[in-house]
């Protein structure tokens, strides 16, 4: 979505009203900037507070120009909170990366069967995938808990990996289908006339064309897995605890460690922010399940 | 997969109808094969638990009283629907979802219109706008609770002190307006989502037609009212419905900001509590089924909207 829509070339405006559209234009631009700043202030505030000492963080009015320190981060990484955030961060990374890999493994063939050589009633199948996404997770939480308890999978990262795979699979199928559907039929026909068999066509023609789509799908699945709280909170305890669950440890703290809370929020959000900015162009297509190009 | 098909039994022109059908079936299976792993996986992991939820919802099952386990018919449903807390949480869920979706949709539309124009630094503003959506939900909720809303050293009251000096009002935002506090933080997170979808809609509007209307002397408002807005309708619908699906299920903000207190417990939070704290499996399941029924109503509309977008794509 980097397409910048240039204003259509206008015919020279009459001299009398020449300054008015410009002034409105400037005003609207200033307004846009103000709104943007308003929306980013909480994030900037989180960032600034995370670099303040606890004493400077907890003042009223806020101390904008207090000296910057890394104490908040030092505290977060174990000096004062008692538990190290590294295991939860690594758990989140494991769960997100492995479930994303599984999602790709399952979704790409499925999307192929729904776009390039579609099965009969492929739209019905596609909508079935979407409908599972609309099933509230709370409704399946208890049986998952009981089953996991029965087979001894509670507090096991693989349980989360399987659940996150099922959570993201419908989105990935929809996204991958929309990317695969963009491959022109003519290109596929040309490849088959040139004597390419199916595997070769997929590898040499289709794969390079959908690679950006695969990257975008992976990033979005990664983000959703990384953010998930409810499953992780109910189904993990100490061993498989994820970063969002670790963060809930700060829920009751009455701001005594405000800088630490902010540092924790920054660290846990950082991977998602990086992934999100990288996938910015394709973010909307992914979030709207590929329904919008 | 069936391998009994023997297509090479005779010349092609000699094939019986039966053989042709068998060939087609084999082709169908070859087409279905790539689809099956995903489909089977999803049915096992998402549909099976729900069937179990349905069964448990008709059972008297509290983990604290294991001896009293047994089927009770619609007892749980009666208790869920007559229980004041559950009814309150149904109302809270509706209030929360409707207000977050509506406000973020309107804001998203206005901001998308602002960002649809070319101006200096548009990319920067767009990136600033998207950032709230990318902060991990629990982290965002924590920051709102502790760094912004806090009555003693939160940014909001700090700003009030800056403006009005020592005697500035210092409201305790979360205690005085708990639900609004959650709504505001969620609107902040979801407006970017709405904006992104609407912006995509704006950038796909037919420019030549609009230019023609402008030459014919239509005012900007007329163009917006009669051309842009109808074109955006399906994008607005899609944003509203996808937003609803996510916000109906919101857990992170309610859990973090108020822990469900002060009348802010929505259905997901109430179910979580019934199951996690009260260990009442039967009742939690019944509440879960109620949520599913509610969601199916929304989902029916959602699927219809998406399928209309979809048909349009097919027609292109």
């Amino acid at each position: 979505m980097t397409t910048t829509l240039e204003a259509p070339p206008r015919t020279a405006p009459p001299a009398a009203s020449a300054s008015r559209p410009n002034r409105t234009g400037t005003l609207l631009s200033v307004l846009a900037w103000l709104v943007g700043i308003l929306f980013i202030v909480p994030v900037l505030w989180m960032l600034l507070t995370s670099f303040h000492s606890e004493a400077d963080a907890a003042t009223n009015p806020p101390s904008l120009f207090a000296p910057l320190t890394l104490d908040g981060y030092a505290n977060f990484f174990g000096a004062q909170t008692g538990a190290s955030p590294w295991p939860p961060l690594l758990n989140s990374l494991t769960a997100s990366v492995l479930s994303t890999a599984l999602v790709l493994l399952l979704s790409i063939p499925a999307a192929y069967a729904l776009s390039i050589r579609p099965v009969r009633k492929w739209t019905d199948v596609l909508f079935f995938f979407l409908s599972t996404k609309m099933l509230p997770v709370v409704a399946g939480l208890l049986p998952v808990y009981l089953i996991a308890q029965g087979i001894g999978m509670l507090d096991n990262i693989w349980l989360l990996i399987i659940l996150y795979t099922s959570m993201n699979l419908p989105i990935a199928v929809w996204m991958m289908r929309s990317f695969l559907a963009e491959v022109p039929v003519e290109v596929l026909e040309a490849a088959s006339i040139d004597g390419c068999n199916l595997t070769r066509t997929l590898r040499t023609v289709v794969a390079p064309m959908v690679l950006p789509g695969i990257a975008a799908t992976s990033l979005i699945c990664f983000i959703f897995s990384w953010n998930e709280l409810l499953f992780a909170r109910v189904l993990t305890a100490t061993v498989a605890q994820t970063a969002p669950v670790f963060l809930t440890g700060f829920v009751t703290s009455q701001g005594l460690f405000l800088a630490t809370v902010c540092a924790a929020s920054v660290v846990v959000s950082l991977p998602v922010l990086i992934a999100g900015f990288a996938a910015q162009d394709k973010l909307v297509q992914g979030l709207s399940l590929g329904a919008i190009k | 997969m069936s391998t009994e098909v023997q297509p090479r039994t005779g010349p092609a022109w000699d094939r019986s109808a039966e053989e042709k059908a068998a060939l087609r079936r084999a082709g169908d299976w070859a087409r279905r094969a790539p689809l099956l792993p995903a489909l089977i996986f999803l049915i096992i992991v998402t549909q099976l638990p729900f069937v179990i939820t349905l069964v448990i919802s008709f059972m008297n099952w509290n983990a604290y009283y294991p001896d009293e386990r047994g089927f009770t018919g619609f007892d749980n449903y009666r208790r869920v629907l007559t229980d004041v807390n559950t009814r309150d949480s149904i109302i809270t869920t509706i209030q929360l979802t409707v207000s977050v979706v509506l406000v973020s949709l309107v804001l998203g539309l206005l901001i998308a219109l602002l960002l649809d124009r070319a101006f200096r630094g548009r990319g920067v503003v767009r990136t600033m706008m998207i950032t709230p959506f990318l902060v991990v939900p629990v982290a965002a909720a924590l920051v709102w609770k502790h760094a912004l809303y806090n009555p003693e050293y939160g940014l909001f009251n700090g700003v009030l002190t800056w403006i009005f000096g020592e005697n500035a009002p210092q409201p305790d935002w979360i205690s005085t307006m708990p639900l609004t506090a959650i709504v505001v933080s969620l609107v902040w997170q979801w407006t970017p989502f709405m904006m992104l979808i609407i912006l995509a809609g704006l950038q796909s509007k037919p420019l030549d037609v609009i230019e023609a209307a402008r030459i014919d002397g239509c005012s900007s408002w007329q163009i917006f009212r009669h051309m842009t807005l109808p074109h955006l309708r399906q994008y607005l619908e899609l944003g509203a419905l996808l937003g609803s699906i996510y916000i109906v299920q919101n857990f992170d903000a309610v859990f973090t900001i108020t822990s469900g207190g002060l009348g802010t417990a929505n259905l997901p939070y109430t179910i979580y509590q019934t199951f996690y704290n009260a260990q009442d499996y039967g009742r939690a399941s019944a509440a879960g089924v109620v949520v599913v029924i509610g969601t199916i109503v929304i989902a029916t509309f959602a699927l219809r909207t998406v399928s209309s977008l979809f048909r349009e794509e097919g027609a292109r």
Side-chain angles (χ1 to χ4, degrees):
Chain A
M1 277 221 326
T2 41
T3 45
T4 35
L5 287 178
E6 297 301 333
R10 295 225 174 103
T11 47
S17 65
S19 69
R20 251 202 75 203
N22 280 342
R23 199 180 298 159
T24 325
T26 315
L27 217 70
L28 288 175
S29 307
V30 170
L31 192 63
W33 269 95
L34 283 179
V35 171
I37 290 167
L38 198 68
F39 267 79
I40 200 140
V41 157
V43 181
L44 293 181
W45 189 245
M46 162 176 96
L47 201 62
L48 183 68
T49 309
S50 75
F51 287 111
H52 278 166
S53 69
E54 297 295 351
D56 288 331
T59 58
N60 183 359
S63 42
L64 274 182
F65 305 105
L68 303 180
T69 153
L70 287 172
D71 289 357
Y73 291 88
N75 286 344
F76 174 61
F77 282 109
Q80 267 179 22
T81 47
S84 162
W86 284 115
L89 283 169
L90 283 176
N91 279 335
S92 275
L93 194 70
T94 313
S96 306
V97 169
L98 289 185
S99 76
T100 301
L102 258 174
V103 165
L104 291 182
L105 204 68
L106 291 169
S107 69
I108 294 175
Y112 171 81
L114 294 171
S115 59
I116 290 184
R117 291 179 69 199
V119 294
R120 279 185 287 165
K121 300 212 170 183
W122 61 276
T123 45
D124 292 348
V125 179
L126 200 53
F127 278 105
F128 167 75
F129 276 109
L130 189 56
S131 69
T132 66
K133 191 64 209 155
M134 293 174 181
L135 211 66
V137 285
V138 277
L141 191 58
L142 174 65
V144 168
Y145 176 83
L146 293 174
I147 294 169
Q149 197 180 38
I151 58 176
M153 286 268 284
L154 280 181
D155 205 8
N156 183 328
I157 200 71
W158 278 100
L159 180 65
L160 285 189
I161 292 170
I162 290 167
L163 290 172
Y164 292 170
T165 304
S166 78
M167 184 176 87
N168 289 326
L169 190 55
I171 302 174
V173 168
W174 269 75
M175 277 184 83
M176 284 313 306
R177 190 211 65 89
S178 75
F179 288 119
L180 282 172
E182 278 173 20
V183 177
V185 186
E186 297 80 33
V187 175
L188 296 175
E189 278 166 1
S192 99
I193 289 166
D194 289 349
C196 282
N197 61 16
L198 182 63
T199 330
R200 206 167 144 199
T201 310
L202 286 180
R203 213 183 54 231
T204 59
V205 180
V206 179
M209 291 180 85
V210 295
L211 217 54
I214 294 178
T217 310
S218 318
L219 284 172
I220 281 170
C221 293
F222 176 86
I223 292 174
F224 281 141
S225 310
W226 185 275
N227 284 354
E228 206 281 332
L229 173 67
L230 187 56
F231 275 136
R233 178 160 172 88
V234 172
L235 302 170
T236 70
T238 47
V239 183
Q241 190 188 55
T242 62
V245 181
F246 186 82
L247 273 187
T248 61
F250 294 100
V251 167
T252 46
S253 84
Q254 278 309 310
L256 284 167
F257 306 107
L258 189 60
T260 313
V261 170
C262 287
S265 301
V266 171
V267 172
V268 174
S269 297
L270 212 55
V272 177
L273 283 166
I274 294 168
F277 288 140
Q280 221 183 100
D281 292 349
K282 295 285 178 190
L283 202 59
V284 61
Q285 189 171 351
L287 294 171
S288 58
L289 305 172
I292 284 175
K293 297 270 156 61
Chain B
M1 265 200 302
S2 58
T3 48
E4 78 272 31
V5 184
Q6 300 289 328
R8 301 238 174 264
T9 45
W13 60 85
D14 232 22
R15 273 183 201 146
S16 65
E18 199 179 305
E19 275 175 82
K20 276 183 194 159
L23 247 179
R24 210 191 61 229
R25 273 203 301 278
D28 278 356
W29 276 109
R31 279 168 182 237
R32 260 175 237 157
L35 185 66
L36 289 178
L39 210 54
I40 293 168
F41 179 86
L42 209 60
I43 289 170
I44 292 173
V45 183
T46 69
Q47 311 292 296
L48 201 63
F50 179 63
V51 174
I52 301 172
T53 303
L54 206 59
V55 174
I56 299 175
S57 74
F58 291 105
M59 288 174 77
N60 183 13
W61 184 354
N62 189 317
Y64 289 139
Y65 310 98
D67 299 336
E68 295 169 20
R69 207 157 94 185
F71 279 89
T72 60
F74 285 92
D75 223 31
N76 288 318
Y77 288 92
R78 214 176 43 242
R79 278 162 68 205
V80 162
L81 293 173
T82 53
D83 180 50
V84 185
N85 287 334
T86 320
R87 260 187 305 183
D88 283 352
S89 69
I90 292 175
I91 295 168
T92 306
T93 308
I94 295 170
Q95 285 176 330
L96 190 72
T97 310
V98 171
S99 48
V100 171
V101 170
L102 277 185
V103 176
S104 57
L105 200 61
V106 172
L107 277 178
L109 173 65
L110 294 176
I111 296 166
L113 287 169
L114 275 178
L115 287 186
D116 191 37
R117 306 164 48 251
F119 65 91
R120 195 185 292 267
R122 194 173 77 151
V124 180
V125 174
R126 211 183 75 131
T127 306
M128 290 200 294
M129 276 302 305
I130 294 169
T131 310
F133 195 74
L134 297 175
V135 177
V136 171
V138 196
L142 273 174
V143 168
W144 277 84
K145 181 182 183 178
H146 292 305
L148 301 174
Y149 285 139
N150 187 290
E152 282 157 42
Y153 35 76
L155 180 63
F156 290 162
N157 284 355
V159 170
L160 287 177
T161 308
W162 272 334
I163 300 173
F164 300 108
E166 286 297 310
N167 299 320
Q170 300 282 294
D172 186 346
W173 304 95
I174 294 175
S175 325
T176 47
M177 43 181 93
L179 197 60
T180 313
I182 293 174
V183 168
V184 169
S185 76
L186 284 175
V187 163
W188 174 75
Q189 276 223 301
W190 283 89
T191 301
F193 171 79
M194 302 297 186
M195 185 215 62
L196 282 174
I197 287 184
I198 298 169
L199 197 58
L202 280 173
Q203 304 200 328
S204 72
K205 72 184 174 208
L207 279 179
D208 46 342
V209 183
I210 287 174
E211 195 51 28
R214 205 183 290 281
I215 290 166
D216 287 347
C218 290
S219 71
S220 297
W221 169 251
Q222 279 173 322
I223 290 174
F224 176 74
R225 175 72 191 75
H226 297 289
M227 301 179 83
T228 310
L229 213 53
H231 170 77
L232 284 183
R233 210 192 90 183
Q234 49 184 210
Y235 295 90
L236 292 166
E237 283 175 358
L238 185 76
L241 293 162
L242 289 176
S244 307
I245 290 166
Y246 284 105
I247 292 158
V248 161
Q249 302 192 34
N250 181 274
F251 174 76
D252 306 30
V254 172
F255 176 82
T256 307
I257 295 179
T258 59
S259 303
L262 307 164
T264 59
N266 60 351
L267 270 169
Y269 188 84
T270 306
I271 295 170
Y272 162 81
Q273 267 208 317
T274 315
F275 145 59
Y276 201 71
N277 298 341
Q279 300 269 306
D280 194 336
Y281 293 173
R283 214 156 115 189
S285 300
V289 174
V290 171
V291 180
V292 169
I293 293 169
T295 313
I296 286 171
V297 176
I298 302 175
T300 314
F301 288 107
L303 286 176
R304 201 180 297 162
T305 308
V306 177
S307 80
S308 78
L309 278 167
F310 201 58
R311 263 197 304 279
E312 207 164 83
E313 185 205 309
R316 265 209 297 270

